[in-house]
Amino acid sequence: MPNNPVQIDQIQCGKGGELTVISGPCVIDSRDVVMTIAERMKTTCDGLNLPFIFKASFDKANRTSLNSYRGVGLEAGLKILAEVRDEFRIPVTTDIHLPEQSKPTGEVCQML
């Protein structure tokens, strides 16, 4: 595989790299919930000496019901992810659904 391993900030993922935890809430419900989860996950991963990348979605467009909560949206979601990145000094990632979301998302996230 030509892209294996991959360097994300100070973390080497993939072949020859350490087990890396990429995790977070499925969708961003609120800033406070996300910050609490990020802090607890970082503390846990630090305690286990595991590299950690925080992931949460600003828009869960692939819901089974049209009436399901989809998230806080691109602008608010990226603001929250940037705060997680800066406060906890960890890489962050999210998923995108449209090509035009890649540029603003790539300015905040270290991995898409």
Side-chain angles (χ1 to χ4, degrees):
M1 296 180 141
N3 293 326
N4 192 0
V6 174
Q7 191 76 27
I8 302 165
D9 277 359
Q10 302 301 315
I11 302 170
Q12 183 176 332
C13 296
K15 188 176 183 178
E18 297 177 83
L19 173 67
T20 301
V21 176
I22 303 172
S23 189
C26 178
V27 66
I28 298 172
D29 289 322
S30 73
R31 178 209 171 270
D32 292 341
V33 169
V34 166
M35 297 303 282
T36 298
I37 292 169
E39 179 179 32
R40 290 183 182 171
M41 293 187 73
K42 181 177 183 334
T43 299
T44 300
C45 288
D46 285 351
L48 296 170
N49 201 29
L50 290 171
F52 173 51
I53 300 170
F54 185 82
K55 181 191 183 294
S57 298
F58 57 84
D59 179 19
K60 293 303 286 185
N62 55 346
R63 297 291 192 186
T64 55
S65 170
L66 294 176
N67 298 322
S68 293
Y69 177 72
R70 289 184 49 169
V72 296
L74 179 67
E75 187 175 320
L78 292 179
K79 182 178 177 183
I80 293 168
L81 287 171
E83 190 172 348
V84 168
R85 179 198 63 204
D86 296 343
E87 182 164 328
F88 301 109
R89 297 185 189 124
I90 55 176
V92 296
T93 187
T94 191
D95 48 335
I96 60 173
H97 301 283
L98 301 168
E100 57 268 18
Q101 293 174 333
S102 65
K103 184 177 182 346
T105 305
E107 293 172 1
V108 172
C109 298
Q110 290 68 44
M111 178 177 75
L112 296 180

